[in-house]
Amino acid sequence: METAELHVHDVHSHDEHEHEHHELGFIRKYIFSEDHKTIAKQYLISGIIWAFFGGALSILFRLQLGFPGAKLEWLRPILGGWINESGKLDPEFYLALVTMHGTIMVFFVLTAGLSGTFSNFLIPLQVGARDMASGFINMLSYWFFFVSSVLMFSSLFIETGPASGGWVIYPPLSALPQAMPGSGLGMTLWLLSMTFFIISSLMGGINYICTIINLRTRGMTFTKLPLTIWAFFLTAVLGLLSFPVLLSAALLLIFDRSFGTSFYLSEIYINGEALPNVGGSAILYQHLFWFLGHPEVYIVLLPALGITSEVIATNSRKPIFGYRAMIGSMMGITALAFIVWAHHMFVTGMNPFLGSVFMFLTLIIAVPSAVKAFNYITTLWKGNIIFTPAMLFSIGLVSMFISGGLTGIILGNSALDINLHDTYFVVAHFHLVMGAASFFGLMAGVYHWFPKMFGKMMNRTAGYVHFWCTFVGVYLVFFPMHYIGIAGFPRRYYAWTQVNGFEAFADMNMFISIAAILTFTSQMVFAVNFFYSIFKGKAAPQNPWNSNTLEWTAPVNAGHGNWVGEIPAVYRWAYDYSKPGSATDFIPQNVPYSATPESNLPEENEEIATEKEIDGLLEAQNESYNR
Amino acid sequence: MNYIIGLLSAVFLVLAIMIVNKSMALSKGLQRNEEEDGYSPVDGANKNNALGMLLFLVLGSIGAAWSFKVSQPDFLPEAASEHGLKTDEMFWTSMAVITFAFFVTNALLFYFAFRYQWKKDRVATFYPVNHKLEIIWTIVPAIVMAVLVFTGWRTWSEITSQAPSNAVVVELTGKQFNWLVRYPGNDDNKLGEYDWRLIDDNNQWGMKFDDENSFDDFTSTSEIHIPKGVPVLLRIRARDVLHSVYLSYQRVKMDAVPGMPTKFWFKATKTTEEMRAELQKPDFNYKLNCTEVCGRGHFGMALTLVVDEPEDYKKWCLEQKPFLTTNPDYLAKVPEKLKAKASKYIVAPEASSDSTTASIGGTSTIVTIK
Ligand code: HEM
Ligand SMILES: [Cu+2]
Ligand SMILES: [Cu+2]
């Protein structure tokens, strides 16, 4: 009795302590904040800004590809010397655009914007924690990302232009400033920026993992975690193990560039000069890069899949089908993601036997991916589906994931990849499966958790319009790209005048560009809706989607510490939707089985006995916050 | 083809407009509802969104099938190499498999979305797991993958196997921004050694003239000739940055890496003339494109490929003059003991003055197209 009272007191003083934080003023609250919710919003808004910027770059190069003859003088006020005398984009600037577009989208939008936002926002709220394991490191993580963003952005304004060798920055092109102007200062800034980015994502990842392992509320076992959390967890593991390898690849490249080493350089003659470097291997870089690069595609995709699992189950009013299979397939994907990287290198001249091994491993990874798709579809079956904007984007994600994933089966076949590698077929493949699918996951997450983030509702009609324009638009842009790829058009080409049969696809390229411009423009609907709703949206109810997860038990405008009073305990999994016998079509995770005898399955009745045990953990849990 | 643009843009616009209109009208009706009984996640647009799913499935399927049909004539024609015929066949079989999966899964997805749209008195079926189903749809894809891997692996091993010993060897060197070609010569049929430190404006290959195999090597920077029906081994290297050899009609691709020579062997099955006849384009030429970004001129880094009948190829080779013949200055680099051998390739000055040669960088003019 006494100890219990003591604890109430402890908690109280803890709350008071938290309260003091609030009084710290604007800067600590909104800028150098250690609150995971604020940091999540910082990531989200940074991500949205980057997304528009990266998208605008792609529109610029689509103009060149779709309208190769067009005069672009009207862009001179923005682009200055990058538009040459004849009113066309400079070919080097074209490559800079492609490179920056890829870098921004992959790292700044889909890695930081997606994981950064939703891991930060949802992990503490869904596992039942007051905040991240280390609020301070979490804050550092965002600010390292910010510095990284500033560096990358500033590289666009230097005279020699930003990095231009493709987002994969293969040396020697990226190592030799004499090979292209973008490999000068622009590349230095790129490498510097990525170094900060990697540090940021490592700090984020460590926090996510620690929080999920250590700060789950009482009763929240791993098998009761929502799939979002599983996805964020495995994503963080992927990042933690693979980003350091990219960092080492970048470091070696920095050495080669600045200190005369020969890790990647050998027997090079350029600009009338034979370089002294011998013994390096350009292929070594590719191995290191893709050791991150392939996991990276799942770092980007898994959170989106996690979000989708949550949104589809909630809005089908059905449990997610095959919860354990979903976890299993995500684990399988995580493990396999580390051993398929060389499928990006089938035609680099590496040992053909290695190619066979990687083909085998690559096609295995298609199996868990297929399982996930089937599980989503079955979740819809016999549901009672509510098409919220988040749900629409989730269904869109599943469709993109299938359509893009299937072509992976072709590319993963090394014999077929010979012809398709580095053509538009690859561009179509990864934009659907990774670009669009992850982007749709991001959007689903924003629409679904906006009420929790800002305490306001977004306008749903605008959401529907946004979805349909984006969904139709993305398919119109990327589906035809398969055809261009099958016709043998290489990627990263400024113009296809030297490609056989290029005239035949001039119209299709124009069509793709028009579709891209329209799709990009329609994102304005989202931007307006988002920023307008933050300020003027209707007040959000406690649990707008009638969802089971813990975040909806926290106050609508949750303060620092998330829950007022005790953190709720968890007694059941997150997917008790439309449970037979239950009067409501959802039973939140914090409702004990003893309160729902009418709907319990036999084995669940047995779990009632463990409820006391769970409740008994309250003390230990509170203590852990006061240590 | 313009009509594709028109039509598809129209579809896009109409769809968008329709949705805007309908959902606006309906959600207005709903907002009133909401005020009465609190927030409901379902609104009046639910039906339209469900209908949109079905519509997308139908229009999307039609669009996918139709756009394929329209684009197909412009795909690469039947492969002009032996392995290409095999990979093409495998490509289209795999395509058939994934197209089937594509339509079935997308159809189920959109149909279920439509069919199980929210109804006031429907209760969703609590259906969390079915092990049998899960095992089936793990095993079926696994088997399909296994078959694909196996056939792919067999073809891949064939393609990447050791080149036959009778293969015609041609060396390709990538540099910013053109391709350098070198042939092993008519006498010893062996490529001489090279060293990147020996590269200069004429000897762009860095040929070593203390290696007697270099003496009869002849070179070109404007086109590459290969014979049909005979194994051809491309020895590929790069001087400055990465490049990649892509012969789209022959389905050949291999990166060119500075410091790490690579190779690719294949058998061409159609001469340039035959392809011209087939395509009914008398001025058609096979192209070698670069498919690894290499800088400013990447997109223009192409070389003409001429596939000859074997006899024509032999004849053409015999017409070529060794590098040493057209650049007699390099005799100075030949060590004393080999001078005698090398001077065989040096022609009296007046003979070489008016010869049109295929070997001087960039300006070659000899073309053996009949
Ligand atoms: C069914 C499973 C998949 C298979 C078998 C597969 C296979 C491949 C292969 C073989 C390539 C290399 C093609 C080439 O460069 O020639 C590739 C490229 C790529 N894939 Fe996948 N993939 C799959 C799923 C995914 C997923 C889920 C994502 C993203 C979340 C993804 C993202 C990418 C990206 C970004 C590239 C291109 C990278 C670049 O060259 O810039 N793939 N895929
Ligand atoms: Cu990959
Ligand atoms: Cu190139």
Side-chain angles (χ1 to χ4, degrees):
Chain A
M1 245 332 243
E2 229 176 49
T3 44
E5 249 159 57
L6 244 171
H7 270 292
V8 172
H9 186 74
D10 275 357
V11 169
H12 187 65
S13 66
H14 176 79
D15 276 351
E16 252 173 21
H17 174 71
E18 296 301 332
H19 203 66
E20 276 166 20
H21 265 292
H22 282 277
E23 310 294 294
L24 277 174
F26 183 81
I27 294 204
R28 284 309 299 276
K29 193 165 172 196
Y30 292 111
I31 300 180
F32 293 107
S33 169
E34 294 183 16
D35 186 298
H36 70 103
K37 299 184 290 299
T38 310
I39 294 173
K41 290 177 213 171
Q42 290 173 330
Y43 268 115
L44 179 59
I45 290 173
S46 316
I48 290 175
I49 293 170
W50 268 125
F52 273 95
F53 193 75
L57 298 184
S58 74
I59 297 303
L60 283 178
F61 62 73
R62 267 324 312 181
L63 281 179
Q64 161 65 24
L65 296 177
F67 309 93
K71 294 269 177 242
L72 299 176
E73 268 117 359
W74 51 277
L75 283 169
R76 202 165 272 148
I78 319 173
L79 301 179
W82 292 119
I83 304 283
N84 63 20
E85 295 87 57
S86 47
K88 306 216 10 176
L89 278 189
D90 181 79
E92 242 140 29
F93 184 57
Y94 175 87
L95 292 176
L97 286 173
V98 178
T99 305
M100 285 326 235
H101 166 75
T103 306
I104 289 169
M105 288 304 192
V106 170
F107 294 110
F108 292 71
V109 178
L110 294 178
T111 305
L114 186 57
S115 278
T117 304
F118 291 103
S119 295
N120 263 311
F121 191 74
L122 291 178
I123 289 175
L125 277 167
Q126 288 197 336
V127 305
R130 299 241 175 246
D131 205 321
M132 280 291 175
S134 165
F136 180 71
I137 292 185
N138 208 20
M139 174 186 83
L140 274 189
S141 162
Y142 176 76
W143 287 103
F144 268 79
F145 165 64
F146 189 82
V147 171
S148 156
S149 296
V150 170
L151 285 172
M152 192 61 80
F153 192 69
S154 63
S155 80
L156 285 152
F157 299 98
I158 59 179
E159 198 178 335
T160 48
S164 323
W167 75 281
V168 298
I169 58 154
Y170 284 171
L173 185 60
S174 59
L176 305 172
Q178 57 271 55
M180 72 193 311
S183 295
L185 182 60
M187 184 55 67
T188 305
L189 286 171
W190 194 98
L191 289 165
L192 215 60
S193 164
M194 281 314 296
T195 305
F196 278 92
F197 186 90
I198 292 168
I199 297 171
S200 151
S201 72
L202 291 180
M203 288 194 289
I206 290 173
N207 243 326
Y208 307 151
I209 293 175
C210 289
T211 310
I212 294 171
I213 293 182
N214 292 322
L215 293 182
R216 280 166 291 125
T217 184
R218 55 200 187 283
M220 180 65 97
T221 56
F222 268 89
T223 47
K224 292 200 173 78
L225 282 178
L227 287 171
T228 32
I229 302 300
W230 268 106
F232 300 147
F233 180 69
L234 293 169
T235 303
V237 171
L238 274 171
L240 210 56
L241 295 179
S242 62
F243 264 119
V245 179
L246 179 66
L247 185 59
S248 47
L251 277 178
L252 299 187
L253 185 54
I254 291 172
F255 289 161
D256 272 8
R257 288 167 55 80
S258 309
F259 307 117
T261 56
S262 310
F263 291 108
Y264 306 133
L265 306 177
S266 189
E267 304 185 22
I268 288 168
Y269 179 92
I270 190 163
N271 277 6
E273 187 198 357
L275 305 185
N277 311 65
V278 279
S281 162
I283 302 301
L284 168 65
Y285 172 86
Q286 299 185 22
H287 281 295
L288 294 175
F289 179 87
W290 286 112
F291 189 86
L292 159 92
H294 188 82
E296 170 66 22
V297 305
Y298 286 101
I299 289 174
V300 162
L301 187 67
L302 280 182
L305 292 176
I307 288 169
T308 298
S309 308
E310 192 57 37
V311 172
I312 284 192
T314 304
N315 290 298
S316 304
R317 314 307 297 159
K318 264 188 75 184
I320 190 82
F321 183 81
Y323 172 76
R324 276 165 198 261
M326 288 299 231
I327 298 173
S329 56
M330 282 198 283
M331 285 176 163
I333 286 172
T334 304
L336 287 167
F338 285 110
I339 46 174
V340 299
W341 77 88
H343 64 214
H344 299 270
M345 302 168 57
F346 284 139
V347 297
T348 53
M350 70 177 186
N351 188 323
F353 174 70
L354 219 56
S356 317
V357 174
F358 277 97
M359 157 163 62
F360 177 66
L361 294 167
T362 298
L363 293 185
I364 295 182
I365 209 172
V367 175
S369 310
V371 169
K372 288 196 80 76
F374 291 137
N375 283 3
Y376 288 128
I377 294 173
T378 314
T379 305
L380 295 181
W381 180 70
K382 290 203 170 177
N384 200 14
I385 299 167
I386 301 167
F387 295 103
T388 63
M391 182 64 167
L392 291 169
F393 273 100
S394 295
I395 294 174
L397 179 153
V398 177
S399 174
M400 303 280 168
F401 178 57
I402 294 174
S403 309
L406 283 169
T407 48
I409 294 171
I410 297 224
L411 293 172
N413 186 331
S414 54
L416 302 183
D417 190 51
I418 295 172
N419 190 44
L420 294 170
H421 175 67
D422 265 341
T423 65
Y424 261 69
F425 197 84
V426 176
V427 178
H429 158 71
F430 74 78
H431 274 94
L432 284 180
V433 75
M434 149 155 148
S438 307
F439 176 75
F440 275 45
L442 176 66
M443 285 301 136
V446 173
Y447 281 108
H448 195 76
W449 280 288
F450 189 91
K452 194 79 233 157
M453 286 186 177
F454 298 99
K456 302 277 173 62
M457 301 304 290
M458 285 177 84
N459 181 307
R460 20 186 171 179
T461 308
Y464 305 144
V465 175
H466 175 216
F467 167 75
W468 284 107
C469 291
T470 312
F471 187 51
V472 175
V474 164
Y475 263 121
L476 290 185
V477 171
F478 295 112
F479 203 79
M481 280 190 193
H482 294 104
Y483 304 145
I484 299 179
I486 297 174
F489 283 47
R491 63 194 281 213
R492 299 180 179 135
Y493 262 35
Y494 170 73
W496 284 298
T497 40
Q498 288 295 324
V499 176
N500 278 320
F502 75 98
E503 318 86 356
F505 283 96
D507 282 349
M508 187 170 281
N509 274 312
M510 196 193 300
F511 171 72
I512 291 174
S513 294
I514 294 171
I517 293 167
L518 290 176
T519 313
F520 179 70
T521 314
S522 68
Q523 302 312 304
M524 282 303 169
V525 177
F526 169 76
V528 171
N529 192 1
F530 181 84
F531 289 106
Y532 179 85
S533 302
I534 290 181
F535 301 104
K536 297 272 171 71
K538 267 193 276 179
Q542 175 74 33
N543 188 353
W545 321 118
N546 299 329
S547 184
N548 285 341
T549 36
L550 274 194
E551 73 272 27
W552 306 106
T553 61
V556 175
N557 288 301
H560 201 35
N562 293 339
W563 283 272
V564 188
E566 307 294 359
I567 299 174
V570 162
Y571 302 96
R572 61 176 77 226
W573 72 335
Y575 300 103
D576 270 345
Y577 290 107
S578 303
K579 207 161 181 202
S582 169
T584 55
D585 71 350
F586 69 112
I587 311 174
Q589 282 192 281
N590 60 332
V591 176
Y593 286 120
S594 53
T596 57
E598 69 283 359
S599 66
N600 289 351
L601 305 172
E603 67 271 21
E604 288 168 349
N605 277 323
E606 283 162 31
E607 283 203 33
I608 294 179
T610 64
E611 283 171 12
K612 271 220 182 64
E613 230 171 276
I614 293 174
D615 295 335
L617 294 170
L618 173 63
E619 224 165 84
Q621 188 178 359
N622 283 333
E623 208 155 274
S624 72
Y625 283 102
N626 292 325
R627 230 181 278 133
Chain B
M1 275 257 289
N2 258 317
Y3 66 101
I4 304 183
I5 298 175
L7 223 111
L8 284 185
S9 325
V11 171
F12 181 43
L13 277 177
V14 167
L15 213 72
I17 292 168
M18 183 199 76
I19 303 279
V20 178
N21 274 344
K22 284 217 169 161
S23 48
M24 287 243 259
L26 279 156
S27 69
K28 250 181 231 145
L30 193 97
Q31 264 159 19
R32 245 171 282 126
N33 244 347
E34 240 171 62
E35 275 153 31
E36 282 159 25
D37 46 293
Y39 187 86
S40 152
V42 192
D43 69 5
N46 213 59
K47 265 199 203 110
N48 293 287
N49 282 322
L51 201 65
M53 293 281 156
L54 198 64
L55 215 64
F56 184 83
L57 173 63
V58 175
L59 291 183
S61 304
I62 295 173
W66 174 68
S67 63
F68 180 84
K69 261 199 93 185
V70 173
S71 319
Q72 200 179 20
D74 299 319
F75 290 168
L76 289 171
E78 192 189 71
S81 69
E82 239 170 42
H83 76 277
L85 292 169
K86 278 187 209 145
T87 55
D88 273 15
E89 192 190 311
M90 192 161 46
F91 175 74
W92 289 114
T93 339
S94 306
M95 264 316 233
V97 173
I98 69 167
T99 307
F100 173 76
F102 168 76
F103 278 113
V104 169
T105 44
N106 271 305
L108 289 176
L109 177 72
F110 293 119
Y111 175 70
F112 287 167
F114 169 76
R115 168 73 179 73
Y116 298 106
Q117 60 181 286
W118 187 84
K119 292 260 160 59
K120 197 159 181 171
D121 31 44
R122 179 177 18 239
V123 179
T125 309
F126 189 83
Y127 189 62
V129 77
N130 179 334
H131 291 298
K132 212 164 158 195
L133 261 182
E134 284 179 313
I135 288 170
I136 292 175
W137 66 45
T138 309
I139 291 189
V140 171
I143 292 174
V144 175
M145 292 305 137
V147 174
L148 291 176
V149 168
F150 185 70
T151 51
W153 170 73
R154 261 203 347 214
T155 314
W156 169 253
S157 309
E158 264 170 53
I159 295 172
T160 55
S161 61
Q162 212 64 36
S165 53
N166 65 336
V168 169
V169 176
V170 184
E171 187 201 56
L172 273 165
T173 305
K175 68 175 262 281
Q176 289 178 328
F177 296 100
N178 62 299
W179 295 98
L180 311 173
V181 193
R182 185 161 68 117
Y183 300 81
N186 290 315
D187 297 339
D188 62 10
N189 200 22
K190 276 192 193 129
L191 284 166
E193 286 176 10
Y194 59 85
D195 185 323
W196 84 103
R197 284 164 299 204
L198 299 178
I199 294 172
D200 59 41
D201 286 348
N202 285 327
N203 183 5
Q204 302 195 61
W205 293 259
M207 284 190 263
K208 278 173 91 167
F209 288 101
D210 53 3
D211 177 5
E212 53 184 300
N213 292 333
S214 300
F215 298 165
D216 67 339
D217 294 359
F218 57 89
T219 60
S220 163
T221 54
S222 61
E223 51 182 32
I224 168 173
H225 281 249
I226 59 166
K228 169 186 136 178
V230 180
V232 173
L233 172 64
L234 299 179
R235 295 200 164 278
I236 300 164
R237 60 189 174 104
R239 261 175 40 171
D240 37 32
V241 298
L242 294 174
H243 302 274
S244 186
V245 171
Y246 181 33
L247 301 172
S248 55
Y249 286 67
Q250 283 74 21
R251 316 291 193 258
V252 167
K253 189 175 288 134
M254 183 50 70
D255 285 1
V257 186
M260 190 191 88
T262 56
K263 56 186 197 285
F264 197 109
W265 79 269
F266 65 103
K267 249 192 222 176
T269 52
K270 284 180 193 167
T271 63
T272 299
E273 286 303 327
E274 283 165 347
M275 190 51 87
R276 284 177 182 167
E278 184 180 322
L279 299 175
Q280 296 175 329
K281 283 186 195 153
D283 50 359
F284 169 86
N285 266 314
Y286 292 123
K287 289 256 173 64
L288 186 165
N289 292 107
C290 178
T291 44
E292 189 62 67
V293 62
C294 55
R296 183 180 188 89
H298 172 52
F299 71 101
M301 190 172 155
L303 183 73
T304 301
L305 166 75
V306 182
V307 182
D308 295 313
E309 294 292 348
E311 316 78 78
D312 297 333
Y313 176 73
K314 278 214 187 81
K315 220 169 79 203
W316 177 83
C317 281
L318 289 172
E319 284 162 17
Q320 305 309 305
K321 298 225 165 65
F323 179 88
L324 202 54
T325 310
T326 46
N327 297 274
D329 298 349
Y330 285 85
L331 188 61
K333 307 230 173 192
V334 178
E336 273 322 309
K337 60 177 197 280
L338 293 175
K339 275 251 157 64
K341 248 187 179 161
S343 18
K344 230 177 52 188
Y345 296 97
I346 310 290
V347 205
E350 66 274 6
S352 68
S353 63
D354 67 347
S355 69
T356 42
T357 71
S359 347
I360 290 183
T363 54
S364 60
T365 45
I366 285 197
V367 182
T368 45
I369 298 159
K370 303 145 287 172

